Amino acid sequence: MRSQEEWIEKDLKYVWHPDTQMKQYEGKDFKPVLIEKGKGIYLYDADGNEYIDGVSSWWVNTLGHSNEKLNKILTEQAEKIEHVLLADFTHRPAIELAEKLIKLAGEPFSKVFYSDDGSTAVEVALKMAYQYWYQNGKPEKKYFVSMTDSYHGDTLGSVSVGGIDIYKKIFSPLVFDTIKVCAPFCYRCPKGQKSENCTLNCIEEVENLFEQRNGEIAAIIVEPLVQGAAGMRMYPAEYLTKLRELCDRYDILLIDDEVAMAFGRTGKYFAFEHAGIKPDIFCVAKGITAGYIPLAATITTNKIYNAFYDDFSTLKTFYHGHSFTGNPIACAIAVENLKIMEQEKIIDKLQPKIKKLKSCLDKFKTLEHAGDIRHTGMIGAVEMVKDKSTKEPYDFKERMGHRVFLEALKNGAILRPIGNVIYFMPPLIITEQEIEKLTDIAYSAIKKVTES
Ligand SMILES: *Cc1c(COP(=O)(O)O)cnc(C)c1O
């Protein structure tokens, strides 16, 4: 039998890890952690150490690891049919899930297009929006607008609408041209306003752009309420409400990338509910299977769909599909996920947890280097800065976030940071007591790393 060290040795020999400089594992002090099993909000390594999964395994897990009900559905569905193509064939899980999603999202949504992950859901949305205008006799509406520091996935189309340098800069000769507008990031407000008297004048930039170039703009794509990969940067729901008005006024589609936010993260099923609006197209993935296996959906309205619906010979078909489109096991798990959310009143039960998280975040204010403390629903974030008064950031080479991560890991919490931002995005089933434990571990780790 292989020892744990031998497993890790093999890992480093054969596995190329995502978003990782592999050379960092050369030293003795830090290697990938070999996870053996999970239960609820906890993960266990090969030595039996227990960790709170404070980031829901990259924002996917909602109902806990190795959930009994989901495990049961997984095996039951595998025994019926594990996979079948979704062109000219269909299956009950895909149908049931689409029906449930449309009911949850409400009017005017009417159609669900499946794919495999967040990036593909975004690719589908972009192509759908472009082809919609093309088939409505407006091929010149070909530009996409997105926000600075946005993140929509790692495939080239989604990188094109992305705005974070580390994911994009090298590939800039390969991606298509997009138009950027300033993200409404309140801590470092692009307009120099204070949140107390914010008038959301950052949206004027969007208004001016739309007014000047609406004839060539297909859509604007946004991450609703929280720019996740940018470091959990948050903005008010009214921004989305105003954006919807502008999109209506200038005949521009609104694409809402709910990949990270849907299914409870913000305290509602979908983040757009906070703004009282409906986008034209929205993307879901991550939490749709409660974090079990990959599945994504791009959801839209008849307005979009009807532009594709015509005789075969007109070539208006949406020629897009992935081998595993609408995989039955994934769909069955997603259906069960939605049933559990409804039966166990997961969203209702979040409300006291959200209050608890908010109060637990308050204690970070006393930390010398906690520059900004952000909170939306079940997400909390602490941006560490070198100097609180000037908001001067730590140099990325200092790897402050990574140091806090290592410290917290020793104390039983997984808080994989984004640069200098430590954030909490635990599975939704976490208890109030566990929220306290998780934030306490983070507090001590930040204090130790930044104040000693
Ligand atoms: C994670 C994420 C994506 C990409 O999803 P993958 O499943 O990683 O391809 C897209 N958009 C947002 C907002 C995300 O957070």
Side-chain angles (χ1 to χ4, degrees):
M1 234 178 69
R2 273 180 194 159
S3 70
Q4 199 181 323
E5 284 69 35
E6 285 164 336
W7 277 109
I8 296 301
E9 213 174 280
K10 293 284 184 202
D11 174 281
L12 295 177
K13 190 163 176 198
Y14 295 114
V15 182
W16 190 347
H17 290 259
D19 285 310
T20 302
Q21 174 50 261
M22 296 299 291
K23 192 168 190 284
Q24 72 176 344
Y25 299 129
E26 252 182 19
K28 278 205 160 39
D29 48 331
F30 181 57
K31 303 278 185 204
V33 182
L34 184 64
I35 295 296
E36 210 77 81
K37 59 179 188 179
K39 195 73 208 166
I41 66 160
Y42 296 98
L43 291 167
Y44 299 87
D45 70 14
D47 290 328
N49 293 312
E50 179 183 270
Y51 307 95
I52 300 179
D53 188 354
V55 298
S56 292
S57 289
W58 264 356
W59 324 349
V60 298
N61 194 286
T62 54
L63 301 181
H65 294 281
S66 199
N67 179 295
E68 271 158 35
K69 288 182 179 163
L70 296 173
N71 288 351
K72 185 161 173 276
I73 292 295
L74 192 156
T75 45
E76 278 175 12
Q77 184 57 44
E79 278 160 16
K80 285 182 207 152
I81 174 66
E82 83 302 333
H83 187 64
V84 60
L85 72 167
L86 202 69
D88 291 332
F89 295 88
T90 192
H91 49 81
R92 286 180 194 154
I95 301 164
E96 213 181 337
L97 178 60
E99 186 181 12
K100 276 191 178 300
L101 288 170
I102 293 302
K103 285 207 174 121
L104 262 186
E107 295 278 335
F109 296 108
S110 62
K111 288 286 184 287
V112 175
F113 192 97
Y114 291 117
S115 63
D116 308 331
D117 50 44
S119 306
T120 54
V122 168
E123 298 288 340
V124 167
L126 299 176
K127 288 172 75 176
M128 215 177 241
Y130 175 75
Q131 194 173 339
Y132 165 80
W133 289 117
Y134 184 91
Q135 284 167 186
N136 270 318
K138 291 185 176 171
E140 66 280 5
K141 276 172 89 73
K142 63 179 183 186
Y143 287 102
F144 288 91
V145 180
S146 60
M147 286 181 185
T148 49
D149 293 303
S150 56
Y151 180 80
H152 298 288
D154 285 343
T155 51
L156 285 176
S158 56
V159 169
S160 301
V161 288
I164 300 177
D165 269 356
I166 55 165
Y167 300 117
K168 185 165 189 181
K169 208 168 168 192
I170 292 173
F171 305 110
S172 54
L174 307 183
V175 300
F176 57 79
D177 261 352
T178 58
I179 306 167
K180 285 280 168 304
V181 289
C182 224
F185 178 35
C186 302
Y187 180 50
R188 299 174 197 278
C189 173
K191 304 292 167 196
Q193 289 195 330
K194 297 248 180 297
S195 35
E196 306 86 75
N197 43 30
C198 167
T199 56
L200 281 179
N201 59 354
C202 48
I203 200 138
E204 283 166 17
E205 187 186 335
V206 182
E207 185 167 2
N208 293 337
L209 172 72
F210 281 11
E211 186 166 331
Q212 283 159 26
R213 300 184 62 181
N214 64 78
E216 34 174 6
I217 295 172
I220 181 168
I221 179 166
V222 298
E223 290 165 87
L225 307 189
V226 182
Q227 287 190 294
M232 301 301 155
R233 297 179 175 187
M234 301 172 183
Y235 64 90
E238 296 79 58
Y239 185 94
L240 283 182
T241 317
K242 290 196 173 186
L243 194 56
R244 177 72 269 182
E245 285 166 23
L246 291 178
C247 286
D248 287 339
R249 194 178 331 145
Y250 293 102
D251 207 12
I252 287 167
L253 300 178
L254 177 57
I255 303 175
D256 174 23
D257 178 355
E258 296 253 354
V259 167
M261 293 303 130
F263 307 110
R265 293 289 174 205
T266 68
K268 293 188 188 288
Y269 274 100
F270 305 112
F272 63 68
E273 295 171 47
H274 294 274
I277 60 140
K278 298 287 171 77
D280 297 286
I281 301 174
F282 74 100
C283 307
V284 291
K286 292 188 170 118
I288 190 172
T289 57
Y292 252 61
I293 43 177
L295 178 69
T298 304
I299 299 167
T300 192
T301 65
N302 276 340
K303 169 180 152 180
I304 304 294
Y305 178 76
N306 288 340
F308 295 77
Y309 195 82
D310 210 337
D311 293 332
F312 179 73
S313 59
T314 61
L315 290 175
K316 287 185 180 173
T317 304
F318 188 47
Y319 281 110
H320 186 109
H322 299 275
S323 315
F324 286 102
T325 298
N327 174 263
I329 298 177
C331 288
I333 291 174
V335 168
E336 184 66 12
N337 172 32
L338 295 179
K339 280 187 191 158
I340 295 173
M341 286 193 76
E342 194 185 347
Q343 282 161 8
E344 298 183 13
K345 298 192 166 49
I346 298 287
I347 297 283
D348 291 345
K349 285 183 192 158
L350 286 179
Q351 307 318 316
K353 299 181 194 186
I354 290 169
K355 281 207 191 90
K356 180 71 186 179
L357 179 60
K358 189 172 183 342
S359 73
C360 285
L361 284 165
D362 277 342
K363 65 188 166 215
F364 290 84
K365 287 183 185 154
T366 59
L367 287 172
E368 226 172 284
H369 295 277
D372 191 29
I373 295 152
R374 309 194 262 271
H375 174 237
T376 295
M378 287 297 283
I379 307 163
V382 180
E383 179 166 337
M384 302 182 293
V385 291
K386 198 162 179 177
D387 185 331
K388 230 167 160 168
S389 61
T390 63
K391 304 184 181 178
E392 184 192 345
Y394 283 108
D395 189 279
F396 83 100
K397 290 182 193 133
E398 288 188 62
R399 302 202 76 187
M400 292 308 272
H402 182 70
R403 283 153 69 182
V404 172
F405 161 64
L406 293 181
E407 182 61 28
L409 199 61
K410 276 194 264 173
N411 294 303
I414 295 175
L415 291 168
R416 199 173 181 282
I418 300 168
N420 296 322
V421 178
I422 299 296
Y423 67 89
F424 310 100
M425 201 197 276
L428 306 180
I429 55 153
I430 193 170
T431 65
E432 288 178 53
Q433 214 182 350
E434 289 163 337
I435 289 173
E436 194 149 339
K437 192 170 151 195
L438 175 66
T439 49
D440 280 347
I441 294 173
Y443 179 90
S444 309
I446 294 175
K447 195 172 172 71
K448 185 158 174 197
V449 170
T450 60
E451 292 181 23
S452 67

